[in-house]
Amino acid sequence: LYRAILMDTKDSVFISKGVFSTGLFDFLEGFDPNNPPRNSADVTTRCQSLVIAVFFPSHSIYKMVQMLHGKSDVALMHAAGSGVLFYACWILQFFEFDSANSAYIGWVCFIFFVFWITYIRVEARKAYNIYGNTLDDFFSSLMMFPWVCSQMDLQTSFSFSEWIAQHVPVKEHNPTIWIANQASGSVETPERYQYETQSTTPGIKESILNPAF
């Protein structure tokens, strides 16, 4: 509801940001929502990504960290660390039958796993200039971690510059938004707004009409 209000009131910060290429609740529409961002993944690809994220969430973390840092060793460290926490959670749940209170340790592992995903998602939003906040990221990761991991996995299909160019207004075509962002500190460098796009392109309209997490 809050995002719908921001959209209707044409909040300058909201409309100057993009959204993820897929929404967390798109499954309610059979992974085929109305007005999806341009070049979104098809239904088959999304289903495959979600299944992988359910059982191997570290795969998505590896791909996003590699995209963020460009280093396989850093991505491998994040994937291994988050993977240990994820699998330890479920293994300790089963050990509860033989070892008292092991399930509590398992839930602690799960919470740290959620923190890990939250951190990666926050970094991903910043890199792709996507609207949101840390609380959104945390509660999404806590309640829907497979969907969050799948979302990040599919987002890595786009480079940072490609996504910003297609889905974020630029200074030359929307100076009011650029000035508002500059005043709020959300503009990092003018160079990121040099991509040749327009705030009235179909991609921009679609991203505004689909304010998914």
Side-chain angles (χ1 to χ4, degrees), residues 62 65-66 69-76:
Y62 176 85
V65 174
Q66 189 173 38
H69 298 281
K71 298 179 180 179
S72 297
D73 54 343
V74 175
L76 186 60

Side-chain angles (χ1 to χ4, degrees), residues 172-186:
E172 289 78 8
H173 297 95
N174 206 328
T176 302
I177 291 177
W178 189 87
I179 293 172
N181 286 347
Q182 188 179 45
S184 66
S186 60

Side-chain angles (χ1 to χ4, degrees), residues 2 13 25-26 38 63-64 97 121-122 132 145 150 177 183:
Y2 175 67
V13 175
F25 293 96
D26 287 351
R38 191 166 33 176
K63 290 180 66 175
M64 180 54 76
F97 296 105
R121 194 170 194 257
V122 168
F145 78 85
S150 175
I177 291 177

